[in-house]
Amino acid sequence: GDSVTQMEGPVTLSEEAFLTINCTYTATGYPSLFWYVQYPGEGLQLLLKATKADDKGSNKGFEATYRKETTSFHLEKGSVQVSDSAVYFCALMGGATNKLIFGTGTLLAVQP
Amino acid sequence: GAGVSQTPSNKVTEKGKYVELRCDPISGHTALYWYRQSLGQGPEFLIYFQGTGAADDSGLPNDRFFAVRPEGSVSTLKIQRTERGDSAVYLCASSYNRQGGTDTQYFGPGTRLTVL
């Protein structure tokens, strides 16, 4: 069945460092891809999404490009801030019911 | 506007008891989803409602779990004869789910269920 694999954390970076969190997927058909973020003590929030191959989603300085050839949707940010510390989930939406299938999450800790 | 709300925020119960978890979706959202998130894992799909009907309940782990949405708005997830393994955060999400679209699912804060 459909699945998402993302890099294990925690990822610890210094402020202003470059961030990459890897995400690959397995799916039948052409799923839509998402990154959700969970800040400490808060609920899941959509960070960005891409609905077809070669689309780039972007928000708050984060970007991810839907790569069909490598079945990947890696999350990147050029300069992280302490406020970016959170758990990041990669997800795909597939099937007729649009249910989300999540990866296990990656904890990002940004130190000042 | 108001987001998705879930009550209670925390529920502690004893093994074998019955619990109900409530979800109030965003007004006007026809699609409602339940997910379960265990510690250190991503959310796992349980059930999807389109309007009043359960369109996909393939994620419910067994027949102790049941959910309803009688008027197409508020939904209740019901768990009978709870087991310690049911302990998790139960998340609700809603969306417009326009036909052929990939509408954003908006999540509630979750209900943390602890079965002693």
Side-chain angles (χ1 to χ4, degrees):
Chain A
D2 295 356
S3 66
V4 173
T5 302
Q6 61 182 106
M7 64 189 286
E8 291 189 18
V11 173
T12 303
L13 295 173
S14 298
E15 208 165 18
E16 299 183 1
F18 183 84
L19 168 71
T20 300
I21 300 178
N22 290 337
C23 172
T24 58
Y25 67 91
T26 301
T28 54
Y30 302 98
S32 295
L33 301 174
F34 301 79
W35 278 99
Y36 276 81
V37 58
Q38 192 167 34
Y39 296 104
E42 298 185 17
L44 274 170
Q45 302 174 24
L46 177 68
L47 180 59
L48 52 85
K49 70 178 184 182
T51 58
K52 60 183 188 296
D54 299 325
D55 268 3
K56 178 186 285 188
S58 61
N59 186 25
K60 299 182 180 180
F62 291 89
E63 293 184 339
T65 301
Y66 189 163
R67 301 285 187 201
K68 182 167 169 284
E69 63 276 13
T70 54
T71 61
S72 66
F73 193 55
H74 304 321
L75 182 68
E76 296 182 335
K77 186 175 185 183
S79 176
V80 294
Q81 305 301 311
V82 172
S83 58
D84 294 326
S85 298
V87 180
Y88 292 81
F89 292 94
C90 185
L92 68 83
M93 179 182 284
T97 56
N98 287 350
K99 64 186 179 188
L100 288 167
I101 296 169
F102 287 88
T104 53
T106 302
L107 173 64
L108 170 66
V110 181
Q111 299 176 337
Chain B
V4 177
S5 62
Q6 293 185 246
T7 55
S9 55
N10 279 285
K11 176 70 177 177
V12 180
T13 191
E14 294 179 343
K15 182 175 177 295
K17 299 290 189 183
Y18 168 83
V19 296
E20 290 189 351
L21 312 179
R22 175 188 167 109
C23 172
D24 214 323
I26 293 171
S27 178
H29 281 189
T30 59
L32 185 146
Y33 300 80
W34 284 99
Y35 295 85
R36 179 169 72 173
Q37 186 174 16
S38 300
L39 193 62
Q41 301 297 313
E44 293 180 314
F45 169 78
L46 294 176
I47 187 169
Y48 155 64
F49 287 90
Q50 180 59 42
T52 59
D56 182 354
D57 65 357
S58 62
L60 295 178
N62 52 59
D63 61 5
R64 294 187 297 104
F65 288 75
F66 189 70
V68 296
R69 194 186 184 199
E71 297 178 355
S73 178
V74 171
S75 176
T76 304
L77 178 66
K78 308 181 181 193
I79 311 174
Q80 299 177 321
R81 304 184 304 281
T82 52
E83 299 178 356
R84 292 193 180 87
D86 299 335
S87 297
V89 176
Y90 289 81
L91 297 170
C92 177
S94 71
S95 74
Y96 284 113
N97 203 28
R98 288 162 288 193
Q99 189 171 5
T102 55
D103 292 300
T104 297
Q105 291 183 26
Y106 294 88
F107 282 80
T111 293
R112 181 175 299 277
L113 175 66
T114 303
V115 182
L116 301 177

